[in-house]
């Protein structure tokens, strides 16, 4: 039991935070959003610094750390609204590390960590339901459609959920051929996303259903951390604003109603963060507990609109203009709250198994 | 970061559960209910058994007779005791003992702490007065020095357990001329001291709390804890620890588990309803969130820190959750949710949901109102302006 970051994690947090504050002005994010682009120079730096490789084995060029380390990293990216496929590439690589053959893993993971290969998961189809997969692999070729593929048009490869002879599995597809066609989707978070049509695209098999389930677990836990990062930034901005904005001759943060809004925001962010890191810590300990992970994402997802809308309430008109940075976190937070399982979906999963004996204590 | 419990903790929890199963007899539970958290022969016997195993003082420093064990052991201890509804000393144990250990003189530590861990001493807390509630520093009960004694006059309210206590942990004004926070002291008053009058105030949750009156009550000068006029800091410290106890997850998890078990056994039709399951899932999530805040609080204490903001967060979250769980449980039970324990077997799980609905308001305003806790979170946690 240790609820603090260890020295390495603390150093990582500080380094990444300082780096992003220095190198990533919010106007740069506005530019990328306008162009529908992703931050390629930042991605190069992420790979060069070895941040992507934190939870990978040393033989692949990783740092042999854990997912908690990656959580620290992703929270910082979320606090700065960085537009990079960190979650997507990271979890794709992790599933290769744990589920793919040794040959495949040693071929691909070093390429991912160096940034030459950027793989992103492509699981959902137009029906937006996990597990409901219609895409088919036949004789090493993939046919089907995917939707809600984050960073799909920026990626070199897609890690696609498809059925081969009825069995669900993950397949690696080169996304740069004319057999893969991406159509951009514009979402509330203003991050790259697309739907994809695969027309007999050649694949390499990565894993069976076990890999699919692990991918969802990873995506869910880490997207919970992203929600937390967005919320934390909204809270920080709000506290700062309430400390300088004056009305009735007083700083508005000194009014109890405003103070209590802030306290409520702080509590929601705190418990959501602890649950998210509890889920990551569980994965690091080799436990894949779907109920714990669903709880972490449900908590983070349901807190996002509460926290960010309170932030807006306290910011007033200043919070809605695009010159102000608050909208990044409101919009990006809402988008992340839907990704990898909405609050409703995750609560429904808990509800499904609610009478399973729960070991609380 | 690592949320996994090491084997020494899980072993301790298993040991505790085995022990509790052995001691959790209907007679003990009945005695606990009848005395409303007070004392009785079976409770005393249970306390002795706990004391024998060293559990009451395992987390105290070695200098005061403890084992200096990590505070997470106490967190586990309180969780399990609360979960199974066992009498373990409650605020005397979670709030008064650590305050005496921190602020008491050597002689006070030697006198009070062994009595507490053996379960012989039960403290009632005398902070509030009719006109000093949330604004505690407005308290007027005064103690005047007369030779080597304090002479105490005044009135306290919500002095719960005073009638079954051995001591009252009394906040008094010792310097009427000082700024109001700087003229307060904590004095330990043996409950049987002449001049102490206890009047019960019956409550809507059954049992009673008390008003207590102090008419020329004389106690030795050495009964001051933490120094004359230095009581405010002692009170704040004790309240912080009180909040740790108020925030315990065990009792809440127990109501939830009993609700689930009842629905499974007696009303499978309701448990099959997706709406019911959805509401249960939300409660489970609330519990998981709250437990994290409670754990965070214990974690800070376990590394030797004093949680202030974390204690307030856990207090707010746990106390509001108690209301929510009791309320939702009653809703899901329907009309039988309103049946009290007096209805016998007709009341679902001994009417615990109904009882907790009646009980739950006190936790939200007690131990410092949740509004004050949110102020603390805002000031101390976020640095918001005054």
């Amino acid at each position: 039991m240790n609820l603090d970051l260890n020295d390495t994690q603390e150093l990582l947090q500080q380094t990444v935070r300082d780096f992003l504050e220095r190198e990533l002005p919010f106007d740069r994010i506005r530019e990328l959003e306008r162009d529908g682009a992703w931050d390629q120079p930042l991605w190069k730096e992420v790979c060069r610094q070895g941040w992507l490789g934190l939870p990978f084995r040393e033989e692949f060029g990783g740092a042999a750390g854990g997912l908690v380390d990656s959580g620290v990293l992703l929270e910082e990216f979320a606090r700065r609204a960085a537009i990079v496929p960190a979650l997507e590439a990271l979890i794709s690589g992790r599933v290769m590390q744990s589920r793919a053959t040794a040959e495949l893993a040693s071929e691909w993971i070093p390429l991912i960590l160096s940034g030459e290969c950027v793989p992103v998961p492509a699981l959902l189809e137009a029906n937006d339901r996990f597990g409901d997969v219609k895409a088919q692999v036949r004789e090493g070729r993939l046919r089907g459609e995917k939707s809600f593929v984050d960073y799909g048009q920026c990626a070199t490869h897609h890690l696609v959920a498809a059925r081969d002879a009825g069995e669900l599995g993950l397949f690696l597809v080169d996304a740069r051929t004319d057999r893969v066609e991406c159509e951009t989707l514009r979402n509330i978070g203003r991050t790259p996303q697309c739907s994809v049509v695969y027309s007999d695209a050649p694949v390499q098999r990565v894993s069976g259903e076990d890999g699919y389930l692990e991918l969802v677990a990873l995506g869910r836990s880490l997207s919970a951390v992203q929600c937390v990062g967005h919320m934390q930034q909204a809270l920080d901005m709000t506290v700062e604003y309430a400390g300088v904005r004056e009305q009735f001759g007083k700083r508005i943060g000194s009014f109890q109603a405003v103070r209590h809004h802030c306290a409520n925001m702080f509590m929601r962010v705190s418990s959501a963060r602890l649950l998210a890191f509890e889920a990551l810590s569980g994965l690091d300990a080799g436990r894949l507990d779907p109920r714990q992970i669903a709880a972490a994402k449900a908590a983070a997802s349901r807190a996002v609109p509460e926290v960010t809308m309170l932030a807006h309430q306290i910011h007033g008109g200043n919070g809605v203009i695009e010159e102000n940075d608050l909208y990044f976190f409101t919009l990006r937070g809402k988008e992340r709250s839907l990704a990898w399982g909405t609050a409703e979906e995750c609560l429904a999963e808990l509800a499904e198994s609610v009478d399973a004996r729960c070991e609380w204590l | 970061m690592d949320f996994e419990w090491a084997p020494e903790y899980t072993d301790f929890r298993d040991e505790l559960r085995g022990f509790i199963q052995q001691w959790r007899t209907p007679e003990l539970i009945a005695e606990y209910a009848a005395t409303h958290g007070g004392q009785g022969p079976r409770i005393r016997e249970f306390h002795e058994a706990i004391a024998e195993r060293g559990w009451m003082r395992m987390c105290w420093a070695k200098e005061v007779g403890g084992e200096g064990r990590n505070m997470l052991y106490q967190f586990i201890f309180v969780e399990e005791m609360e979960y199974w509804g066992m009498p373990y000393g409650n605020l005397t144990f979670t709030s008064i003992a650590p305050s005496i250990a921190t602020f008491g003189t050597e002689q006070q530590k030697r006198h009070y702490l062994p009595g507490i861990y053996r379960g012989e001493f039960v403290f009632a807390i005398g902070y509030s007065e009719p006109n000093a509630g949330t604004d505690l520093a407005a308290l007027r009960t005064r103690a005047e020095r007369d030779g080597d004694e304090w002479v105490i006059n005044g009135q306290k309210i919500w002095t719960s357990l005073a009638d079954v206590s051995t001591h009252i942990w009394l906040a008094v004004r010792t310097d009427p001329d000082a700024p109001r926070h700087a003229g307060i002291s904590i004095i330990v008053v043996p409950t049987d001291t002449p001049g102490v009058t206890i009047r019960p105030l019956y409550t809507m949750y059954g049992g009673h709390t008390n008003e207590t009156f102090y008419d020329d009550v004389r106690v030795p000068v050495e009964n001051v804890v933490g120094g004359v006029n230095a009581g405010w800091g002692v009170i704040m410290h004790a309240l912080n620890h009180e909040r740790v106890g108020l925030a315990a997850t065990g009792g809440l998890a127990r109501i939830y588990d009993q609700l689930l078990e009842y629905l499974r056994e007696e009303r499978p039709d309701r448990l099959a309803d997706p709406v019911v399951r959805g509401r249960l899932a939300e409660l489970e999530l609330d519990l998981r969130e709250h437990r994290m805040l409670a754990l965070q609080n214990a974690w800070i204490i376990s590394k030797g820190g004093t949680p202030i903001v974390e204690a307030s967060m856990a207090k707010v979250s746990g106390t509001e959750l108690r209301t929510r769980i009791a309320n939702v449980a009653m809703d899901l039970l329907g009309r039988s949710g309103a049946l009290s324990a007096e209805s016998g077997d007709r009341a679902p799980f001994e009417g615990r949901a109904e009882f907790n609905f009646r009980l739950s308001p006190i936790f939200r305003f007690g131990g410092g109102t949740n509004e004050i806790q949110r102020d603390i979170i805002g000031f101390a946690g976020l640095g918001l302006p005054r």
Side-chain angles (χ1 to χ4, degrees), chain A residues 2 4 260 264 271 281 287 291 302 352 355 360, chain B residues 2-4 257 264 277 284 286 289 303 374-375:
Chain A
N2 178 3
D4 291 333
H260 286 191
N264 289 335
S271 56
S281 161
R287 271 191 309 104
R291 300 190 86 250
R302 78 175 178 179
E352 182 95 5
D355 46 347
W360 288 113
Chain B
D2 176 9
F3 287 71
E4 303 293 308
D257 282 358
R264 195 191 294 125
R277 299 176 78 86
E284 178 188 334
D286 292 342
E289 286 203 54
K303 11 173 233 180
R374 286 186 164 93
D375 282 348

PDB file of all heavy atoms in Angstrom, chain A residues 2 4 260 264 271 281 287 291 302 352 355 360, chain B residues 2-4 257 264 277 284 286 289 303 374-375:
ATOM      1  N   ASN A   2       0.717   2.029  -1.014  1.00  0.00           N
ATOM      2  CA  ASN A   2       1.431   3.302  -1.071  1.00  0.00           C
ATOM      3  C   ASN A   2       0.667   4.226  -2.013  1.00  0.00           C
ATOM      4  O   ASN A   2       0.672   4.036  -3.220  1.00  0.00           O
ATOM      5  CB  ASN A   2       2.866   3.102  -1.579  1.00  0.00           C
ATOM      6  CG  ASN A   2       3.609   4.421  -1.688  1.00  0.00           C
ATOM      7  OD1 ASN A   2       3.081   5.485  -1.329  1.00  0.00           O
ATOM      8  ND2 ASN A   2       4.821   4.362  -2.199  1.00  0.00           N
ATOM      9  N   ASP A   4       1.191   7.330  -2.550  1.00  0.00           N
ATOM     10  CA  ASP A   4       1.982   8.426  -3.107  1.00  0.00           C
ATOM     11  C   ASP A   4       2.690   7.965  -4.375  1.00  0.00           C
ATOM     12  O   ASP A   4       2.951   6.776  -4.558  1.00  0.00           O
ATOM     13  CB  ASP A   4       3.047   8.874  -2.099  1.00  0.00           C
ATOM     14  CG  ASP A   4       2.409   9.559  -0.910  1.00  0.00           C
ATOM     15  OD1 ASP A   4       1.312  10.141  -1.067  1.00  0.00           O
ATOM     16  OD2 ASP A   4       2.994   9.497   0.188  1.00  0.00           O
ATOM     17  N   HIS A 260     -17.962  26.248  -1.926  1.00  0.00           N
ATOM     18  CA  HIS A 260     -18.507  24.890  -1.833  1.00  0.00           C
ATOM     19  C   HIS A 260     -18.555  24.209  -3.197  1.00  0.00           C
ATOM     20  O   HIS A 260     -18.316  23.002  -3.294  1.00  0.00           O
ATOM     21  CB  HIS A 260     -19.887  24.915  -1.182  1.00  0.00           C
ATOM     22  CG  HIS A 260     -19.794  25.150   0.304  1.00  0.00           C
ATOM     23  ND1 HIS A 260     -20.852  25.006   1.163  1.00  0.00           N
ATOM     24  CD2 HIS A 260     -18.748  25.523   1.077  1.00  0.00           C
ATOM     25  CE1 HIS A 260     -20.456  25.285   2.395  1.00  0.00           C
ATOM     26  NE2 HIS A 260     -19.190  25.606   2.366  1.00  0.00           N
ATOM     27  N   ASN A 264     -16.638  20.702  -3.783  1.00  0.00           N
ATOM     28  CA  ASN A 264     -17.289  19.540  -4.405  1.00  0.00           C
ATOM     29  C   ASN A 264     -16.508  19.056  -5.620  1.00  0.00           C
ATOM     30  O   ASN A 264     -16.330  17.853  -5.824  1.00  0.00           O
ATOM     31  CB  ASN A 264     -18.726  19.885  -4.805  1.00  0.00           C
ATOM     32  CG  ASN A 264     -19.628  20.040  -3.592  1.00  0.00           C
ATOM     33  OD1 ASN A 264     -19.364  19.476  -2.528  1.00  0.00           O
ATOM     34  ND2 ASN A 264     -20.682  20.820  -3.728  1.00  0.00           N
ATOM     35  N   SER A 271     -11.599  11.463  -5.679  1.00  0.00           N
ATOM     36  CA  SER A 271     -12.012  10.057  -5.624  1.00  0.00           C
ATOM     37  C   SER A 271     -11.888   9.420  -7.012  1.00  0.00           C
ATOM     38  O   SER A 271     -11.531   8.246  -7.119  1.00  0.00           O
ATOM     39  CB  SER A 271     -13.421   9.907  -5.055  1.00  0.00           C
ATOM     40  OG  SER A 271     -14.345  10.659  -5.793  1.00  0.00           O
ATOM     41  N   SER A 281      -3.062   0.223 -10.731  1.00  0.00           N
ATOM     42  CA  SER A 281      -2.228  -0.525  -9.792  1.00  0.00           C
ATOM     43  C   SER A 281      -2.616  -2.001  -9.786  1.00  0.00           C
ATOM     44  O   SER A 281      -1.754  -2.883  -9.713  1.00  0.00           O
ATOM     45  CB  SER A 281      -2.381   0.114  -8.404  1.00  0.00           C
ATOM     46  OG  SER A 281      -1.991  -0.763  -7.398  1.00  0.00           O
ATOM     47  N   ARG A 287      -3.640  -8.287 -11.877  1.00  0.00           N
ATOM     48  CA  ARG A 287      -5.053  -8.607 -11.715  1.00  0.00           C
ATOM     49  C   ARG A 287      -5.850  -7.843 -12.756  1.00  0.00           C
ATOM     50  O   ARG A 287      -5.711  -6.632 -12.866  1.00  0.00           O
ATOM     51  CB  ARG A 287      -5.545  -8.159 -10.325  1.00  0.00           C
ATOM     52  CG  ARG A 287      -5.382  -9.187  -9.239  1.00  0.00           C
ATOM     53  CD  ARG A 287      -6.121  -8.799  -7.967  1.00  0.00           C
ATOM     54  NE  ARG A 287      -5.807  -7.457  -7.524  1.00  0.00           N
ATOM     55  CZ  ARG A 287      -6.610  -6.432  -7.675  1.00  0.00           C
ATOM     56  NH1 ARG A 287      -7.781  -6.588  -8.262  1.00  0.00           N
ATOM     57  NH2 ARG A 287      -6.254  -5.231  -7.257  1.00  0.00           N
ATOM     58  N   ARG A 291     -14.762  -5.407 -12.890  1.00  0.00           N
ATOM     59  CA  ARG A 291     -15.683  -4.571 -12.099  1.00  0.00           C
ATOM     60  C   ARG A 291     -14.942  -3.373 -11.515  1.00  0.00           C
ATOM     61  O   ARG A 291     -15.458  -2.279 -11.458  1.00  0.00           O
ATOM     62  CB  ARG A 291     -16.345  -5.380 -10.990  1.00  0.00           C
ATOM     63  CG  ARG A 291     -17.156  -6.563 -11.544  1.00  0.00           C
ATOM     64  CD  ARG A 291     -18.021  -7.223 -10.485  1.00  0.00           C
ATOM     65  NE  ARG A 291     -19.300  -6.555 -10.361  1.00  0.00           N
ATOM     66  CZ  ARG A 291     -19.678  -5.830  -9.325  1.00  0.00           C
ATOM     67  NH1 ARG A 291     -18.872  -5.680  -8.303  1.00  0.00           N
ATOM     68  NH2 ARG A 291     -20.860  -5.255  -9.308  1.00  0.00           N
ATOM     69  N   ARG A 302     -18.731  10.021 -14.888  1.00  0.00           N
ATOM     70  CA  ARG A 302     -19.886  10.748 -14.359  1.00  0.00           C
ATOM     71  C   ARG A 302     -19.453  12.043 -13.671  1.00  0.00           C
ATOM     72  O   ARG A 302     -20.249  12.963 -13.528  1.00  0.00           O
ATOM     73  CB  ARG A 302     -20.739   9.861 -13.453  1.00  0.00           C
ATOM     74  CG  ARG A 302     -20.223   9.633 -12.061  1.00  0.00           C
ATOM     75  CD  ARG A 302     -21.239   8.840 -11.234  1.00  0.00           C
ATOM     76  NE  ARG A 302     -20.696   8.580  -9.900  1.00  0.00           N
ATOM     77  CZ  ARG A 302     -21.345   7.937  -8.949  1.00  0.00           C
ATOM     78  NH1 ARG A 302     -22.560   7.476  -9.172  1.00  0.00           N
ATOM     79  NH2 ARG A 302     -20.793   7.740  -7.771  1.00  0.00           N
ATOM     80  N   GLU A 352     -25.156  -5.417 -13.923  1.00  0.00           N
ATOM     81  CA  GLU A 352     -25.289  -6.781 -14.425  1.00  0.00           C
ATOM     82  C   GLU A 352     -24.840  -7.804 -13.386  1.00  0.00           C
ATOM     83  O   GLU A 352     -25.488  -8.809 -13.152  1.00  0.00           O
ATOM     84  CB  GLU A 352     -24.433  -6.896 -15.689  1.00  0.00           C
ATOM     85  CG  GLU A 352     -24.468  -8.213 -16.377  1.00  0.00           C
ATOM     86  CD  GLU A 352     -25.493  -8.212 -17.506  1.00  0.00           C
ATOM     87  OE1 GLU A 352     -26.085  -7.141 -17.792  1.00  0.00           O
ATOM     88  OE2 GLU A 352     -25.688  -9.270 -18.083  1.00  0.00           O
ATOM     89  N   ASP A 355     -25.039  -8.557  -7.929  1.00  0.00           N
ATOM     90  CA  ASP A 355     -25.226  -9.467  -6.792  1.00  0.00           C
ATOM     91  C   ASP A 355     -24.068 -10.436  -6.610  1.00  0.00           C
ATOM     92  O   ASP A 355     -24.128 -11.314  -5.760  1.00  0.00           O
ATOM     93  CB  ASP A 355     -26.560 -10.200  -6.866  1.00  0.00           C
ATOM     94  CG  ASP A 355     -26.820 -10.752  -8.262  1.00  0.00           C
ATOM     95  OD1 ASP A 355     -26.093 -10.351  -9.199  1.00  0.00           O
ATOM     96  OD2 ASP A 355     -27.734 -11.569  -8.413  1.00  0.00           O
ATOM     97  N   TRP A 360     -15.684  -5.666  -0.159  1.00  0.00           N
ATOM     98  CA  TRP A 360     -15.448  -4.247  -0.002  1.00  0.00           C
ATOM     99  C   TRP A 360     -14.121  -3.946   0.617  1.00  0.00           C
ATOM    100  O   TRP A 360     -13.424  -3.019   0.274  1.00  0.00           O
ATOM    101  CB  TRP A 360     -16.482  -3.663   0.963  1.00  0.00           C
ATOM    102  CG  TRP A 360     -17.794  -3.604   0.365  1.00  0.00           C
ATOM    103  CD1 TRP A 360     -18.902  -4.316   0.715  1.00  0.00           C
ATOM    104  CD2 TRP A 360     -18.159  -2.801  -0.739  1.00  0.00           C
ATOM    105  NE1 TRP A 360     -19.924  -3.992  -0.108  1.00  0.00           N
ATOM    106  CE2 TRP A 360     -19.499  -3.072  -1.002  1.00  0.00           C
ATOM    107  CE3 TRP A 360     -17.488  -1.882  -1.532  1.00  0.00           C
ATOM    108  CZ2 TRP A 360     -20.175  -2.444  -2.023  1.00  0.00           C
ATOM    109  CZ3 TRP A 360     -18.165  -1.272  -2.539  1.00  0.00           C
ATOM    110  CH2 TRP A 360     -19.488  -1.553  -2.776  1.00  0.00           C
TER     111      TRP A 360
ATOM    112  N   ASP B   2       0.758   2.119  -5.232  1.00  0.00           N
ATOM    113  CA  ASP B   2       0.457   0.696  -5.153  1.00  0.00           C
ATOM    114  C   ASP B   2      -0.725   0.527  -4.201  1.00  0.00           C
ATOM    115  O   ASP B   2      -0.621   0.825  -3.016  1.00  0.00           O
ATOM    116  CB  ASP B   2       1.695  -0.040  -4.620  1.00  0.00           C
ATOM    117  CG  ASP B   2       1.428  -1.512  -4.416  1.00  0.00           C
ATOM    118  OD1 ASP B   2       0.356  -1.991  -4.838  1.00  0.00           O
ATOM    119  OD2 ASP B   2       2.286  -2.187  -3.809  1.00  0.00           O
ATOM    120  N   PHE B   3      -1.849   0.079  -4.731  1.00  0.00           N
ATOM    121  CA  PHE B   3      -3.066  -0.041  -3.924  1.00  0.00           C
ATOM    122  C   PHE B   3      -3.267  -1.450  -3.379  1.00  0.00           C
ATOM    123  O   PHE B   3      -4.291  -1.731  -2.783  1.00  0.00           O
ATOM    124  CB  PHE B   3      -4.297   0.346  -4.752  1.00  0.00           C
ATOM    125  CG  PHE B   3      -4.416   1.818  -5.015  1.00  0.00           C
ATOM    126  CD1 PHE B   3      -3.548   2.455  -5.888  1.00  0.00           C
ATOM    127  CD2 PHE B   3      -5.388   2.574  -4.391  1.00  0.00           C
ATOM    128  CE1 PHE B   3      -3.661   3.816  -6.143  1.00  0.00           C
ATOM    129  CE2 PHE B   3      -5.515   3.932  -4.639  1.00  0.00           C
ATOM    130  CZ  PHE B   3      -4.641   4.561  -5.521  1.00  0.00           C
ATOM    131  N   GLU B   4      -2.307  -2.317  -3.617  1.00  0.00           N
ATOM    132  CA  GLU B   4      -2.485  -3.695  -3.178  1.00  0.00           C
ATOM    133  C   GLU B   4      -2.160  -3.795  -1.684  1.00  0.00           C
ATOM    134  O   GLU B   4      -1.204  -3.192  -1.206  1.00  0.00           O
ATOM    135  CB  GLU B   4      -1.546  -4.622  -3.965  1.00  0.00           C
ATOM    136  CG  GLU B   4      -1.736  -4.552  -5.472  1.00  0.00           C
ATOM    137  CD  GLU B   4      -3.084  -5.085  -5.928  1.00  0.00           C
ATOM    138  OE1 GLU B   4      -3.436  -6.211  -5.547  1.00  0.00           O
ATOM    139  OE2 GLU B   4      -3.797  -4.359  -6.652  1.00  0.00           O
ATOM    140  N   ASP B 257     -24.483  -4.416   1.873  1.00  0.00           N
ATOM    141  CA  ASP B 257     -24.423  -5.872   1.735  1.00  0.00           C
ATOM    142  C   ASP B 257     -25.687  -6.536   2.263  1.00  0.00           C
ATOM    143  O   ASP B 257     -26.187  -7.510   1.695  1.00  0.00           O
ATOM    144  CB  ASP B 257     -23.201  -6.426   2.474  1.00  0.00           C
ATOM    145  CG  ASP B 257     -21.923  -6.206   1.678  1.00  0.00           C
ATOM    146  OD1 ASP B 257     -22.011  -5.670   0.554  1.00  0.00           O
ATOM    147  OD2 ASP B 257     -20.844  -6.566   2.182  1.00  0.00           O
ATOM    148  N   ARG B 264     -31.693 -10.628  -2.552  1.00  0.00           N
ATOM    149  CA  ARG B 264     -31.361 -11.902  -3.185  1.00  0.00           C
ATOM    150  C   ARG B 264     -32.200 -13.040  -2.587  1.00  0.00           C
ATOM    151  O   ARG B 264     -32.758 -13.862  -3.290  1.00  0.00           O
ATOM    152  CB  ARG B 264     -29.870 -12.185  -3.021  1.00  0.00           C
ATOM    153  CG  ARG B 264     -29.361 -13.280  -3.939  1.00  0.00           C
ATOM    154  CD  ARG B 264     -27.961 -13.711  -3.580  1.00  0.00           C
ATOM    155  NE  ARG B 264     -26.949 -12.689  -3.780  1.00  0.00           N
ATOM    156  CZ  ARG B 264     -26.104 -12.247  -2.865  1.00  0.00           C
ATOM    157  NH1 ARG B 264     -26.138 -12.754  -1.640  1.00  0.00           N
ATOM    158  NH2 ARG B 264     -25.220 -11.326  -3.148  1.00  0.00           N
ATOM    159  N   ARG B 277     -31.329  -2.873 -10.074  1.00  0.00           N
ATOM    160  CA  ARG B 277     -29.896  -3.202 -10.181  1.00  0.00           C
ATOM    161  C   ARG B 277     -29.078  -1.952 -10.496  1.00  0.00           C
ATOM    162  O   ARG B 277     -27.969  -1.787  -9.997  1.00  0.00           O
ATOM    163  CB  ARG B 277     -29.679  -4.266 -11.265  1.00  0.00           C
ATOM    164  CG  ARG B 277     -30.393  -5.563 -10.971  1.00  0.00           C
ATOM    165  CD  ARG B 277     -30.231  -6.553 -12.122  1.00  0.00           C
ATOM    166  NE  ARG B 277     -28.925  -7.188 -12.089  1.00  0.00           N
ATOM    167  CZ  ARG B 277     -28.655  -8.272 -11.372  1.00  0.00           C
ATOM    168  NH1 ARG B 277     -29.585  -8.841 -10.640  1.00  0.00           N
ATOM    169  NH2 ARG B 277     -27.452  -8.801 -11.394  1.00  0.00           N
ATOM    170  N   GLU B 284     -23.004   1.103  -5.170  1.00  0.00           N
ATOM    171  CA  GLU B 284     -21.697   0.430  -5.101  1.00  0.00           C
ATOM    172  C   GLU B 284     -20.595   1.397  -5.532  1.00  0.00           C
ATOM    173  O   GLU B 284     -19.541   1.485  -4.890  1.00  0.00           O
ATOM    174  CB  GLU B 284     -21.675  -0.808  -6.001  1.00  0.00           C
ATOM    175  CG  GLU B 284     -20.298  -1.475  -5.966  1.00  0.00           C
ATOM    176  CD  GLU B 284     -20.105  -2.604  -6.957  1.00  0.00           C
ATOM    177  OE1 GLU B 284     -21.092  -3.249  -7.361  1.00  0.00           O
ATOM    178  OE2 GLU B 284     -18.938  -2.856  -7.307  1.00  0.00           O
ATOM    179  N   ASP B 286     -20.706   4.678  -5.430  1.00  0.00           N
ATOM    180  CA  ASP B 286     -20.556   5.688  -4.370  1.00  0.00           C
ATOM    181  C   ASP B 286     -19.677   5.149  -3.248  1.00  0.00           C
ATOM    182  O   ASP B 286     -18.813   5.853  -2.715  1.00  0.00           O
ATOM    183  CB  ASP B 286     -21.923   6.052  -3.786  1.00  0.00           C
ATOM    184  CG  ASP B 286     -22.789   6.805  -4.780  1.00  0.00           C
ATOM    185  OD1 ASP B 286     -22.248   7.333  -5.760  1.00  0.00           O
ATOM    186  OD2 ASP B 286     -24.015   6.872  -4.555  1.00  0.00           O
ATOM    187  N   GLU B 289     -16.082   5.034  -4.300  1.00  0.00           N
ATOM    188  CA  GLU B 289     -15.477   6.370  -4.297  1.00  0.00           C
ATOM    189  C   GLU B 289     -15.189   6.812  -2.864  1.00  0.00           C
ATOM    190  O   GLU B 289     -14.121   7.326  -2.564  1.00  0.00           O
ATOM    191  CB  GLU B 289     -16.408   7.389  -4.973  1.00  0.00           C
ATOM    192  CG  GLU B 289     -16.449   7.252  -6.470  1.00  0.00           C
ATOM    193  CD  GLU B 289     -16.888   8.544  -7.163  1.00  0.00           C
ATOM    194  OE1 GLU B 289     -16.291   9.598  -6.917  1.00  0.00           O
ATOM    195  OE2 GLU B 289     -17.850   8.476  -7.958  1.00  0.00           O
ATOM    196  N   LYS B 303       1.546   7.793   7.373  1.00  0.00           N
ATOM    197  CA  LYS B 303       2.927   8.246   7.158  1.00  0.00           C
ATOM    198  C   LYS B 303       3.289   9.354   8.128  1.00  0.00           C
ATOM    199  O   LYS B 303       4.258  10.063   7.927  1.00  0.00           O
ATOM    200  CB  LYS B 303       3.218   8.699   5.729  1.00  0.00           C
ATOM    201  CG  LYS B 303       2.111   8.875   4.786  1.00  0.00           C
ATOM    202  CD  LYS B 303       2.630   9.478   3.496  1.00  0.00           C
ATOM    203  CE  LYS B 303       1.831  10.709   3.150  1.00  0.00           C
ATOM    204  NZ  LYS B 303       2.228  11.382   1.948  1.00  0.00           N
ATOM    205  N   ARG B 374     -16.612  21.737   3.996  1.00  0.00           N
ATOM    206  CA  ARG B 374     -16.385  22.235   2.630  1.00  0.00           C
ATOM    207  C   ARG B 374     -15.614  23.559   2.665  1.00  0.00           C
ATOM    208  O   ARG B 374     -14.829  23.856   1.760  1.00  0.00           O
ATOM    209  CB  ARG B 374     -17.713  22.382   1.889  1.00  0.00           C
ATOM    210  CG  ARG B 374     -18.306  21.049   1.483  1.00  0.00           C
ATOM    211  CD  ARG B 374     -19.554  21.225   0.621  1.00  0.00           C
ATOM    212  NE  ARG B 374     -19.894  19.973  -0.063  1.00  0.00           N
ATOM    213  CZ  ARG B 374     -20.746  19.064   0.405  1.00  0.00           C
ATOM    214  NH1 ARG B 374     -21.363  19.267   1.549  1.00  0.00           N
ATOM    215  NH2 ARG B 374     -20.977  17.959  -0.273  1.00  0.00           N
ATOM    216  N   ASP B 375     -15.855  24.340   3.704  1.00  0.00           N
ATOM    217  CA  ASP B 375     -15.048  25.561   3.867  1.00  0.00           C
ATOM    218  C   ASP B 375     -13.578  25.186   4.069  1.00  0.00           C
ATOM    219  O   ASP B 375     -12.681  25.795   3.485  1.00  0.00           O
ATOM    220  CB  ASP B 375     -15.535  26.373   5.077  1.00  0.00           C
ATOM    221  CG  ASP B 375     -16.810  27.151   4.757  1.00  0.00           C
ATOM    222  OD1 ASP B 375     -17.174  27.246   3.571  1.00  0.00           O
ATOM    223  OD2 ASP B 375     -17.432  27.661   5.713  1.00  0.00           O
TER     224      ASP B 375
END
